[in-house]
Amino acid sequence: MEFTAIYQCVAALDVHQAKLTVCILHVDEAGQVITELKEFGGFKKDRRAMAKWVASFCPDVVVMESTGVYWKSPYAALEKHGLNIEVVNARYVKQVPGRKTDIADAQWLAILARNGLLRGGFVPPVEFRELRLISRQMQKLSGILSSEKNRLHKLLTDAGIRLSVVLSDLNGKSARAMIKGLLAGETPQQVLQYASKRLKATQEELLDALEGEISPSHHFVITEVMAHIEELEIRIKTFQQALLQGLSPFKTVMECLQTIPGVDEMGAAMLLVEIGDDMSAFGTASNLASWAGVCPGNNESAGKKKSGKTRKGNPYVRRILCEAANAASRTQCSLQDKFKGLLIRRGRKRAIFAIAHKLLKIVFLLIDRGEYYRDAKIDYEALSVQRNAPRWIKKLRQYGYITA
């Protein structure tokens, strides 16, 4: 089999942390294929020189492997020259065995690109790439916060304090105030004054739960952990404000996504910075689901379906969608019916994953069409009457239209 060249000039980069190997294939006036090879460093001045050298050939396409985070800086340098850049999955570009060098990698990448055998992955516009940094760091802090809250629960249990038995939220306002009271040296009877009257637990139950033995080591560690929790909460709020402020130009898209069951404001924001607002980059909802890794794998040979294991995809999108699916399974909508049907046959985890798959397809359609979500099971007219009828009746009585 012979390759058929599609592009006249291509550039390929083998990206590493401290070195960039560039191979350019172009056709001269005599119709001969010329190979240009050059190596650059990994610093800013080197990336600028590399981008300027590549742009001087006016390549039809520039390709590079998605090597960790190292591809992002060269991509940004090439992007400034208005070049057509494609970032390809490294697992689809396998080097010929026995020829594994940086130069050979760049040459093989250029050959595949010149013959149209590579397909670039999704790279969002620069404004979304910048906001991704905020969103992903915020999610990392949220994970640390959850870990610290679990640690606090273990420390209190170790000290004999069983507040988690009588309270649903150990980090609620009342629970936190009572714990701080104990750390300040107050007795269990004294800290009962911080308990909200809305708590279902009785005074006797709270008193029994607060009885414990806080040693000096317990006191020190619990104090530090609670201070860390409060610090993390402040930092996460700062990140949330910065993210929402950066997404203010996309207010309409955000409002559309928030109409989906299980998707709140922050869920919509984190989802938007990951997939962008232009669905033409994916083409179809199925392609988007495949890219995110929330659809079953496709592995069939000789008429036999083998493992349907899902691909890795985008872990951030998967996490957001699974959280939204968990919330949607508890709402009165058609998604809940689908979840209940799958729960019996496939189990909870697979049912949640199937709902996440359906949610992402809904997200694709709403962004692509610019429409709000309307559930087939909900009577929106009746819901509007239910919410507004008391206010309407009050006004009608106020202005004399209703005397009774």
Side-chain angles (χ1 to χ4, degrees):
M1 183 179 108
E2 295 183 0
F3 288 154
T4 302
I6 295 178
Y7 300 112
Q8 295 297 310
C9 180
V10 298
L13 279 71
D14 186 56
V15 182
H16 296 276
Q17 181 178 7
K19 185 173 70 172
L20 302 172
T21 304
V22 185
C23 175
I24 295 179
L25 297 180
H26 62 97
V27 180
D28 61 7
E29 297 179 355
Q32 298 294 322
V33 179
I34 307 299
T35 302
E36 303 282 351
L37 289 167
K38 199 168 184 179
E39 292 185 342
F40 298 87
F43 299 113
K44 184 177 181 179
K45 61 179 182 180
D46 302 312
R47 294 194 298 269
R48 285 182 174 178
M50 178 274 298
K52 185 176 180 180
W53 184 70
V54 171
S56 65
F57 289 89
C58 299
D60 299 315
V61 64
V62 181
V63 297
M64 65 179 75
E65 294 180 1
S66 55
T67 310
V69 297
Y70 303 138
W71 65 270
K72 295 185 178 182
S73 298
Y75 185 96
L78 292 165
E79 192 177 33
K80 293 178 181 178
H81 290 270
L83 299 174
N84 178 23
I85 316 166
E86 291 186 355
V87 181
V88 300
N89 193 327
R91 90 176 193 182
Y92 300 139
V93 187
K94 298 297 184 182
Q95 180 52 266
V96 179
R99 298 182 64 246
K100 186 69 179 72
T101 63
D102 294 339
I103 293 177
D105 278 345
Q107 286 179 324
W108 181 243
L109 199 61
I111 292 170
L112 294 176
R114 183 170 180 264
N115 294 281
L117 297 177
L118 297 180
R119 182 176 60 183
F122 169 67
V123 179
V126 62
E127 59 268 21
F128 287 114
R129 295 206 303 271
E130 295 293 330
L131 291 173
R132 268 186 177 185
L133 301 176
I134 300 174
S135 174
R136 292 181 177 183
Q137 181 62 20
M138 181 182 68
Q139 293 179 60
K140 181 67 70 175
L141 292 177
S142 298
I144 297 173
L145 178 61
S146 298
S147 178
E148 288 293 83
K149 287 181 177 180
N150 292 336
R151 183 60 186 162
L152 176 63
H153 173 252
K154 290 183 178 181
L155 288 168
L156 292 173
T157 303
D158 189 69
I161 298 173
R162 299 292 192 268
L163 274 178
S164 58
V165 176
V166 296
L167 298 180
S168 60
D169 185 8
L170 190 58
N171 292 275
K173 184 178 180 181
S174 296
R176 191 167 293 185
M178 287 189 285
I179 295 171
K180 287 183 177 180
L182 292 175
L183 295 176
E186 299 181 19
T187 64
Q189 291 80 6
Q190 290 174 328
V191 301
L192 286 178
Q193 61 180 319
Y194 305 121
S196 172
K197 295 181 180 180
R198 299 174 60 187
L199 296 178
K200 294 182 179 180
T202 63
Q203 296 283 312
E204 291 76 14
E205 291 175 337
L206 289 173
L207 190 61
D208 291 337
L210 290 168
E211 292 287 350
E213 297 178 359
I214 301 179
S215 66
S217 296
H218 284 125
H219 186 281
F220 173 74
V221 179
I222 292 173
T223 302
E224 293 299 318
V225 169
M226 290 191 68
H228 192 204
I229 288 174
E230 292 177 352
E231 180 188 355
L232 286 171
E233 289 174 343
I234 294 173
R235 290 185 180 274
I236 290 173
K237 287 182 180 179
T238 304
F239 274 85
Q240 289 176 347
Q241 292 172 359
L243 180 60
L244 294 177
Q245 184 178 358
L247 287 173
S248 56
F250 307 95
K251 184 178 179 180
T252 303
V253 181
M254 288 277 291
E255 290 176 349
C256 291
L257 293 180
Q258 290 178 63
T259 60
I260 303 174
V263 180
D264 60 359
E265 186 178 31
M266 290 313 303
M270 292 187 292
L271 201 56
L272 184 59
V273 299
E274 292 294 335
I275 66 176
D277 65 334
D278 183 12
M279 294 298 100
S280 63
F282 299 100
T284 65
S286 298
N287 290 342
L288 174 59
S290 177
W291 171 83
V294 294
C295 63
N298 190 10
N299 186 3
E300 182 179 343
S301 179
K304 296 181 180 180
K305 290 187 177 180
K306 300 183 179 181
S307 172
K309 184 179 179 181
T310 58
R311 55 179 294 179
K312 290 184 178 180
N314 187 312
Y316 300 96
V317 173
R318 290 175 63 160
R319 188 187 69 81
I320 297 166
L321 290 173
C322 286
E323 286 184 0
N326 267 296
S329 66
R330 295 174 172 85
T331 60
Q332 298 296 325
C333 64
S334 58
L335 294 173
Q336 186 189 51
D337 296 337
K338 181 177 177 64
F339 170 78
K340 289 180 178 179
L342 292 168
L343 180 63
I344 300 172
R345 296 184 291 109
R346 305 293 289 170
R348 180 173 180 80
K349 289 185 178 180
R350 289 182 176 177
I352 288 295
F353 204 73
I355 298 300
H357 183 194
K358 188 172 183 64
L359 281 175
L360 188 57
K361 288 190 172 183
I362 294 172
V363 167
F364 177 91
L365 293 175
L366 295 189
I367 296 178
D368 189 48
R369 299 174 181 176
E371 298 176 353
Y372 292 98
Y373 175 77
R374 295 188 66 85
D375 194 88
K377 184 179 178 180
I378 299 175
D379 187 348
Y380 288 93
E381 184 177 353
L383 184 63
S384 176
V385 172
Q386 181 183 0
R387 290 178 176 176
N388 298 312
R391 178 171 54 86
W392 293 340
I393 294 173
K394 182 180 178 181
K395 291 296 181 182
L396 289 172
R397 287 175 177 170
Q398 179 181 349
Y399 290 100
Y401 289 96
I402 297 178
T403 57

